Amino acid sequence: MALNNIGGSLNPSKTLTQKFSWINQSDPSIFSSSFCSINVGKFKKELPSLAISASTMSSNEHNRPLSLEALTNNKRRDEVMNAIKSSLTNCLSETHLDSTIPALKSKTRGKVRDIYDCGDYLVLVTTDRQSAFDRILASIPFKGQVLNETSLWWFNKTQHIVPNAVVATPDKNVTIAKKCSVFPVEFVVRGYLTGSTDTSLWTVYRNGVRNYCCNVLPDGMVKNQKLSANILTPTTKAADHDVPVTPDEIVRRGLMTQAEYDDASEKALRLFEYGQNVAMEHGLILVDTKYEFGKAPDGTILLIDEVHTPDSSRYWIAHSYQERFWNGLEPENVDKEFLRLWFKDHCNPYEDKVLPEAPDELVSELAWRYIFLFETITKSTFEITATKEEEQIHDRITRNVSVALSALM
């Protein structure tokens, strides 16, 4: 695939027919389909002011209108692309800190994060693995750093809504967090009728569902339409995939108490509204996202995992949304949706045992989009990690985490 042809495939102009502990120990029991009808200073043990390694952009860059042109054709893109392409073979796909750092007792491998138990703390390493359809699709240069630093920025900005579990950030790919009891529920918040996966709101709506997780949806809506109000569509785990679950089921199955669910759901909706406002100020629409929460030993509900990252969230460019919607065109997106669509076009990502390898051009473009989104939201310049020539990423992380744990313990 030629690079100059990627723009169209990343934001397809498909015409629509308009009708007007941190380790998640999820309950594996079978999902019931019933629905209801209701319309770091120096590794301080206290929560530090989280530092992001990025420099501030100029005021001219702040005021520049956000458009797809800014995403696909600018000098910054060329500069970053050179670093991305030179790093395609040096991604952080796997970690094994439990064999290099004696203090780490065990490892749990998530889709993107490797989680290490360290007594009162968890060491979370955000890798460059790219997941979708409950599978690993590729490794994306700098992705782990982008996700880690994006989350840290949002953790900082949302402490007035909910406290979080962050203790220290010893490496660009690593967060050390307080250990807490994780609720086996993902709080998915949606503002638009969209998506391409089997559990997306548009997919279930297109299949005739009008009552989804206790949210009644009217007939006659079309893909990418704004909902009349933001909604919660929680999910939990069944085997190896996410399944929707109603609030009543969450309480009945003992996943959370009613008080815990009410508290977490209120916080999730407030976080999403705040994220939407910040995104809009920066020329973006925060379309949907997911949050995870844990419970500290003193009963405090904590925000964990990640916040408003391009992995957990869908972002569209705001200024072109309305016109493209009325013309039946897909929104200009700045997330991983185009990679999902590429795999759906080239295989059955849910059933095929072996998936095709994503082209380098798509991998590089996704890496750039993640960095572009970080810079757009934080209004800062992403710092390309300079690892010593003789030192691999894993060695750098081992060194930094070892120093941090020595200070904490």
Side-chain angles (χ1 to χ4, degrees), residues 58-70:
S58 68
S59 58
N60 286 339
E61 289 171 300
H62 282 196
N63 298 326
R64 186 179 302 155
L66 185 64
S67 66
L68 190 62
E69 177 71 13

Side-chain angles (χ1 to χ4, degrees), residues 36 214 245-253 258 261:
C36 57
C214 291
V245 60
T246 67
D248 285 347
E249 288 170 327
I250 290 172
V251 175
R252 187 171 66 248
R253 293 167 58 180
Q258 187 66 57
Y261 176 79

Side-chain angles (χ1 to χ4, degrees), residues 41 64 100 128 157 213 239 261 280 351-353 373:
R64 186 179 302 155
T100 59
D128 296 329
K157 296 291 184 180
C213 297
Y261 176 79
M280 186 60 69
E351 297 181 6
D352 291 354
K353 291 184 178 180
L373 190 59

Side-chain angles (χ1 to χ4, degrees), residues 20-21 23 52 65 105 122 126 138 141 169 171 176 204 226 244 266 315 337 395:
F20 284 117
S21 80
I23 304 174
I52 307 299
K105 301 174 182 178
L122 293 176
T126 308
T169 54
D171 186 272
I176 298 177
V204 298
K226 188 177 182 359
E266 185 267 341
Y315 285 94
E337 181 68 7
D395 296 333

Side-chain angles (χ1 to χ4, degrees), residues 21-25 97 103-108 113-125 148 165-170 174-182 294 304-305 401 404-405 408-409:
S21 80
W22 279 57
I23 304 174
N24 197 329
Q25 304 293 340
L97 297 184
L104 300 182
K105 301 174 182 178
S106 63
K107 170 186 174 181
T108 298
R113 288 168 183 79
D114 290 343
I115 306 169
Y116 295 90
D117 192 323
C118 187
D120 293 335
Y121 306 105
L122 293 176
V123 175
L124 298 100
V125 184
N148 198 49
V166 176
V167 175
T169 54
V174 179
T175 294
I176 298 177
K178 302 171 187 175
K179 187 181 289 185
C180 60
S181 176
V182 174
I304 63 171
D305 196 49
V401 170
L405 292 179
L408 282 171
M409 302 173 66

